[in-house]
Amino acid sequence: MRHHRTANRQPVGFTLVELLVVIGIIGFLITISGVIIGNMLGTSKEAATKATIAKVHELIMERSRGFDVVQDSNAQVYKNVERFKRIPDAKSTGFVDYRVGFRKATLRQSMPTRLLDLNALTMISGGSSQTVVPPATQLYTDFNTGWDTTKHQPETLSSELMYFALTNGIAFFQATNAADQFTSSEVMDTDGDGRMEFVDAWGKPLRFYFNPTRLFRPGGNGASLDQTLITTMFPSLSKYNLNSDPDDPNGKFLQEFIRNYLVRVNPPNNIPSPPPAAQVNAALVEFENTFHTPSTYQVPLVVSAGPDGELGLYEAPDAANFGHLAQPITDSTGTINYDVLYDNITNYQGI
Ligand SMILES: [Ca+2]
Ligand SMILES: [Ca+2]
Ligand SMILES: [Ca+2]
């Protein structure tokens, strides 16, 4: 009897507990491999985005170096500098140190962030035929021709303008075959408006800011630098003096701009000594609106919103919020939402 009973109790399959354990293990393995694959995909998207940004960055640097060469060597450009120097408007708007002003305006037009940047040089183009700096209005016309503004989404604009400038704009004798370097997953028309834009590996448009000074100094003129933002978005720039404008390291252009403003508001050239602080401050505000935040480092920024798809910066066309200077989005108490900024990918993160 005992023998029979033992034989009857011999297990013929898995007990319920064993089955549950096995199912649990399988479930655990599926979850783990899902997480691992997910991480791998995320990492490869990050790498792909960095590669796209690095290519755009190199093209921008190439243009910038090209400009520096032609500015000094090309007679046509030099003629423009001379014209720029002579026009009365240049003086009244503060372009006293004409070379710095000309450089800022020309580079901004050749690497536009906003539509109005395409006209940055209108005042000197004069409609004449120019090979190196073509009439600015032509670029504006070209961009607008065939552009379906009813479909256009604002977050695509800076990327579309950058793509347009690199493929159709002023090349300063650099290669104009920029389009060949990108694949169909790096350049798309995500809003279907007939203008291509650079996109990250998550399919979101990259953003471009020519003078991202509000990312260094979110409070604007006189406020302190934001070390968290600098460490996150511009780690490779920490060796530079971020309290200075690299175009104007001695602040000479800024001083001339302020002086010019004081001459304008105290006619006929009767500037009180010392000049009223309110007037100097108003000049600095005008400088920020015309160029960028005074005495602040600036380099062209190419940025992806990262895996979370949230940029955390005002869009470039949003001038009321200093979007053209890459102002971080703040809540009603003025607090920056750093959480959405940490995963952003830029061209100054060691690439
Ligand atoms: Ca668009
Ligand atoms: Ca588009
Ligand atoms: Ca983000």
Side-chain angles (χ1 to χ4, degrees), residues 156 160 188-197:
T156 61
E160 287 166 343
M188 296 179 192
D189 182 6
T190 58
D191 57 353
D193 62 353
R195 285 287 163 270
M196 302 298 275
E197 56 265 15

Side-chain angles (χ1 to χ4, degrees), residues 188-224:
M188 296 179 192
D189 182 6
T190 58
D191 57 353
D193 62 353
R195 285 287 163 270
M196 302 298 275
E197 56 265 15
F198 293 113
V199 295
D200 62 21
W202 295 273
K204 293 263 166 49
L206 295 176
R207 311 301 207 281
F208 174 66
Y209 298 91
F210 187 59
N211 293 127
T213 50
R214 284 275 179 146
L215 253 181
F216 292 94
R217 205 185 295 283
N221 177 51
S224 52

Side-chain angles (χ1 to χ4, degrees), residues 68-88:
D68 287 339
V69 172
V70 295
Q71 179 179 242
D72 292 329
S73 66
N74 186 274
Q76 185 66 58
V77 174
Y78 189 73
K79 203 171 98 190
N80 280 332
V81 175
E82 287 301 302
R83 286 171 68 185
F84 194 75
K85 183 180 162 187
R86 283 199 307 271
I87 49 172

Side-chain angles (χ1 to χ4, degrees), residues 114-338:
R114 302 170 289 171
L115 279 174
L116 65 91
D117 293 334
L118 287 171
N119 278 322
L121 277 173
T122 298
M123 65 176 84
I124 66 160
S125 71
S128 62
S129 61
Q130 296 164 15
T131 51
V132 179
V133 184
T137 44
Q138 187 60 48
L139 279 175
Y140 189 85
T141 307
D142 290 348
F143 187 84
N144 276 283
T145 304
W147 183 31
D148 187 348
T149 51
T150 60
K151 290 185 179 158
H152 169 65
Q153 298 297 318
E155 69 272 17
T156 61
L157 185 64
S158 66
S159 191
E160 287 166 343
L161 284 170
M162 175 48 71
Y163 182 78
F164 183 81
L166 289 177
T167 51
N168 299 279
I170 309 164
F172 304 121
F173 302 122
Q174 303 302 304
T176 49
N177 59 347
D180 301 349
Q181 301 182 26
F182 297 91
T183 67
S184 57
S185 58
E186 295 175 300
V187 176
M188 296 179 192
D189 182 6
T190 58
D191 57 353
D193 62 353
R195 285 287 163 270
M196 302 298 275
E197 56 265 15
F198 293 113
V199 295
D200 62 21
W202 295 273
K204 293 263 166 49
L206 295 176
R207 311 301 207 281
F208 174 66
Y209 298 91
F210 187 59
N211 293 127
T213 50
R214 284 275 179 146
L215 253 181
F216 292 94
R217 205 185 295 283
N221 177 51
S224 52
L225 296 169
D226 188 315
Q227 295 302 340
T228 304
L229 288 172
I230 290 164
T231 312
T232 304
M233 314 274 276
F234 305 96
S236 65
L237 299 182
S238 52
K239 55 180 180 278
Y240 298 107
N241 176 8
L242 303 180
N243 280 308
S244 114
D245 172 359
D247 287 340
D248 183 32
N250 302 320
K252 187 168 161 266
F253 179 59
L254 178 64
Q255 288 311 314
E256 288 183 346
F257 185 97
I258 294 169
R259 210 191 94 74
N260 193 271
Y261 180 91
L262 294 173
V263 168
R264 214 170 352 121
V265 298
N266 296 292
N269 201 5
N270 256 336
I271 305 171
S273 180
Q279 288 185 5
V280 173
N281 204 46
L284 292 170
V285 169
E286 188 172 297
F287 186 91
E288 181 166 46
N289 288 327
T290 310
F291 298 108
H292 50 73
T293 315
S295 306
T296 305
Y297 203 79
Q298 35 94 9
V299 277
L301 173 72
V302 184
V303 57
S304 154
D308 70 356
E310 289 201 54
L311 187 67
L313 306 174
Y314 287 104
E315 298 292 345
D318 188 355
N321 285 308
F322 295 98
H324 59 303
L325 303 180
Q327 171 73 42
I329 294 174
T330 49
D331 64 17
S332 55
T333 65
T335 309
I336 296 170
N337 184 357
Y338 290 102

